[in-house]
Amino acid sequence: MSIGKINRRGFIKACGVMAGYAVLTANMTKEAVAAAMEFVGLRQAQVYHADAKIYKIRKSQDNPMIKKLYDKKHGFLHEGPCGHMSHRLLHTDYTDRSARVSALKENGFKLKI
Amino acid sequence: MRKIEDVMYQTNAPDGVNPDNVFFVQVDATKCEACGTCEEVCATGAIQSINEDGIHQVVDTSACMNCGQCLVNCPYGAIYEGVSFVDEVFEKLRDPDTVVVSMPAPAVRYGLGECFGKPTGTYVGPQMHAALRQLGFDYIWDNEFSADVTIMEEGTELINRVKNAGKKGTLPLPQFTSCCPGWMKFVETFHPELLPHVSTCKSPIGMLGSLAKTYGAHETGTPAKKMYTVSIMPCIAKKYEGMREEMADSGYRDIDATINTRELAYMIKKAGINFNSLKGEDPDPVLGESTGAATIFGTSGGVMEAALRLAYEVLSGKKLDNPDIKVVRTHEGINSADVKVPGFGTVKVAVASGLANANKLCEEVKSGKSPYHFIEIMACPGGCVNGGGQPLDPDVLASLFKSTVARINRRFRARRPQA
């Protein structure tokens, strides 16, 4: 049905449906997010369960392979954490990426932040 | 396009491309029903309505943090992934000259089972290792090992910042975590002045990539140039991280491919492996063993708790008898806590999940009012277990859509004039 041929009742009906979607989907989003967080809670609970019940060692510094890695004599990272080799392989620098977003905003894009 | 665990993927594995220009998620305009859920869950506003019909699109890659929360919350399955390395990984697994290395993240083992009919959150770590071995991975190494390395590095960095606070040349407090790639792009994009506050540590996968091709290559006598490292993540933003130009400290690309939990499930099914009948297996030695501190990286507050298990012992010189530090465990929003360390004092910490919450803490630090020593940020509410690359919540697709339609129909019928 084209908009030209729509009768008065049909128009009101269409408005009603559209308003219904607008109102209901807004509420539904909140409900859905709440339900999704319950789902996430189940996964989180299993993580803590595994930490407490399945993993025999619970501190990183007690992992024998960590001790081997940082062994003061023969370890690959014998200088210890934050040593020279660590800085080469395990640490990094960051980049200022703000320019493109600033340009977007100047071009009239509205962002939330 | 290919459907993988209810999500559409472009089978595109870019090589040598600047990830800043890649749409890791985008909306299929023909499937978008203009409900606006994606816009509501997006913290930055990168995804928004582009026309009068309310059809949504990710308007620009620079504003999108690749977290994928829009994708996992879309009730119409209208959002697809733009990058998939699945075909390339299969190719490398078949190539006898390539040594393929697995690097699965903690949270993958709490989501993967759902793709094979197991209850939500079921821990399938040992079965996952067995499946990776059957798929033909040559080394079953694990990103949980490098989560332990991260604690050693990031915890030591925190202790140095705290001990030397106020001295010249010391990096400032609070220290932010740097494990989450959505958060990392966020702080680089929206709060670059806070970068000195961010831990200089790579994320666990950044560390494992470079360790695999140096330490791992040495320990196993494998030429690093033959190695092909596969990062397996609950995450979409990790695809961006793996493609970062600077991630090449081993002398090669540290991370050759990144797939997520859904794509791993697809590969297991495609290879005809009966996941549920697999007997659990251990990962390979040296870069495989891990601890409880590593596995809790998968949930919001976990990096914090794991780091405190180290910081407590180093700062106090005493043994931490009960490793449970429950006050930092975070389900939603922002959580803050004071942790008393004997012989040292109080360590003030905050944990936030969701980038809107992260933004609040960023503003607080900028205004100079932040009381914290250490702040953990995860882009996805609840942490990696709720990552954009995890299996979808079946309720989002099924019941939300059906119940919305049912409610509207009901309301409409009630209003219809009686004939």
Side-chain angles (χ1 to χ4, degrees), chain A residues 9 13 16-17 19-21 23-33 35-44 46-48 50-52 54-66 68-70 76-77 80-83 86-101 104-105 109-113, chain B residues 20-21 37 39-40 42-45 48 59-62 110 114 120-121 123 144 148-149 151-153 156 178 184 186 188-190 192 195 198-202 207 210 214-215 219 240 244 249 286 289-293 295-296 299-300 309-310 313 320 323-324 329-332 382 385-386 390-391 393 400 403-404 407-408 412:
Chain A
R9 174 160 287 176
K13 178 172 150 185
V17 170
Y21 269 103
V23 169
L24 283 169
T25 48
N27 291 336
M28 288 310 293
T29 304
K30 280 197 194 103
E31 270 180 41
V33 169
M37 288 314 289
E38 271 174 43
F39 174 77
V40 176
L42 287 172
R43 285 184 183 157
Q44 287 187 296
Q46 289 307 309
V47 175
Y48 289 117
D51 167 38
I54 296 172
Y55 286 76
K56 289 184 190 84
I57 302 168
R58 296 187 62 196
K59 297 173 198 160
S60 300
Q61 62 271 32
D62 295 344
N63 181 340
M65 288 301 136
I66 292 294
K68 178 178 157 75
L69 181 69
Y70 289 105
F76 183 72
L77 301 176
C82 297
S86 291
H87 274 288
R88 220 186 88 198
L89 291 178
L90 309 180
H91 292 250
T92 188
D93 298 311
Y94 303 115
T95 312
D96 180 341
R97 293 178 205 274
S98 58
R100 280 179 63 182
V101 158
L104 257 189
K105 287 179 185 165
F109 274 102
K110 287 213 166 47
L111 297 176
K112 289 184 187 172
I113 290 165
Chain B
D20 280 327
N21 299 325
T37 302
E39 193 172 338
E40 192 152 319
C42 178
T44 65
Q48 48 183 271
V59 291
D60 194 273
T61 54
S62 66
Y110 299 94
E114 292 165 25
T120 305
Y123 173 76
E144 282 193 352
D148 281 333
V149 179
I151 287 307
M152 300 305 290
E153 296 290 334
T156 304
S178 55
M184 286 315 304
F186 180 84
E188 288 178 317
T189 304
F190 293 101
L195 290 174
V198 181
S199 165
T200 62
C201 289
K202 291 180 181 174
M207 292 191 183
S210 59
T214 53
Y215 179 55
E219 288 290 313
Y240 174 93
R244 277 176 181 252
D249 286 332
V286 191
E289 287 88 343
S290 64
T291 67
T295 211
I296 57 174
T299 164
S300 184
R309 289 178 190 177
L310 173 73
E313 295 198 344
L320 177 65
D324 290 327
R329 297 180 181 181
T330 308
H331 183 53
E332 268 182 284
V385 286
N386 186 29
Q390 289 282 62
D393 180 350
L400 175 63
S403 64
T404 307
R407 278 195 195 196
I408 288 166
F412 176 61

Side-chain angles (χ1 to χ4, degrees), chain B residues 54-314:
Chain B
I55 300 301
H56 281 64
Q57 290 280 286
V58 175
V59 291
D60 194 273
T61 54
S62 66
C64 173
M65 303 301 115
N66 313 310
C67 70
Q69 283 300 308
C70 53
L71 183 151
V72 294
N73 284 293
C74 174
Y76 303 99
I79 303 180
Y80 64 87
E81 280 200 44
V83 171
S84 174
F85 287 90
V86 161
D87 290 338
E88 189 180 294
V89 174
F90 267 128
E91 205 177 289
K92 298 292 177 184
L93 286 168
R94 278 193 297 266
D95 177 7
D97 272 345
T98 305
V99 177
V100 191
V101 174
S102 86
M103 310 192 292
V108 173
R109 65 209 76 198
Y110 299 94
L112 184 64
E114 292 165 25
C115 300
F116 301 93
K118 294 198 187 293
T120 305
T122 306
Y123 173 76
V124 293
Q127 291 82 357
M128 174 188 75
H129 290 131
L132 290 167
R133 215 167 254 130
Q134 285 213 7
L135 275 170
F137 281 88
D138 296 282
Y139 291 113
I140 312 300
W141 287 336
D142 198 311
N143 200 42
E144 282 193 352
F145 164 77
S146 50
D148 281 333
V149 179
T150 301
I151 287 307
M152 300 305 290
E153 296 290 334
E154 192 161 349
T156 304
E157 183 186 350
L158 174 66
I159 291 161
N160 289 341
R161 288 194 197 213
V162 170
K163 275 187 172 169
N164 301 322
K167 285 188 198 159
K168 223 180 157 192
T170 303
L171 290 166
L173 289 170
Q175 174 178 314
F176 283 100
T177 55
S178 55
C179 299
C180 167
W183 149 246
M184 286 315 304
K185 191 182 178 195
F186 180 84
V187 66
E188 288 178 317
T189 304
F190 293 101
H191 302 288
E193 57 276 54
L194 292 181
L195 290 174
H197 286 272
V198 181
S199 165
T200 62
C201 289
K202 291 180 181 174
S203 73
I205 195 64
M207 292 191 183
L208 189 55
S210 59
L211 281 177
K213 293 193 181 184
T214 53
Y215 179 55
H218 176 260
E219 288 290 313
T220 57
T222 309
K225 68 171 184 213
K226 283 190 159 191
M227 270 191 189
Y228 180 84
T229 47
V230 183
S231 157
I232 306 167
M233 292 286 141
C235 183
I236 298 170
K238 285 281 175 191
K239 294 182 179 179
Y240 174 93
E241 183 185 358
M243 287 163 67
R244 277 176 181 252
E245 194 189 7
E246 69 270 22
M247 296 299 228
D249 286 332
S250 62
Y252 306 91
R253 289 300 304 164
D254 293 336
I255 298 162
D256 291 299
T258 305
I259 62 172
N260 51 41
T261 310
R262 294 187 295 262
E263 290 170 295
L264 177 59
Y266 170 85
M267 290 183 73
I268 293 168
K269 288 176 183 176
K270 190 90 179 158
I273 297 165
N274 183 349
F275 187 81
N276 289 328
S277 69
L278 289 175
K279 243 184 121 217
E281 291 178 23
D282 288 331
D284 286 324
V286 191
L287 290 87
E289 287 88 343
S290 64
T291 67
T295 211
I296 57 174
F297 268 58
T299 164
S300 184
V303 180
M304 177 64 69
E305 184 170 340
L308 289 173
R309 289 178 190 177
L310 173 73
Y312 182 97
E313 295 198 344
V314 174

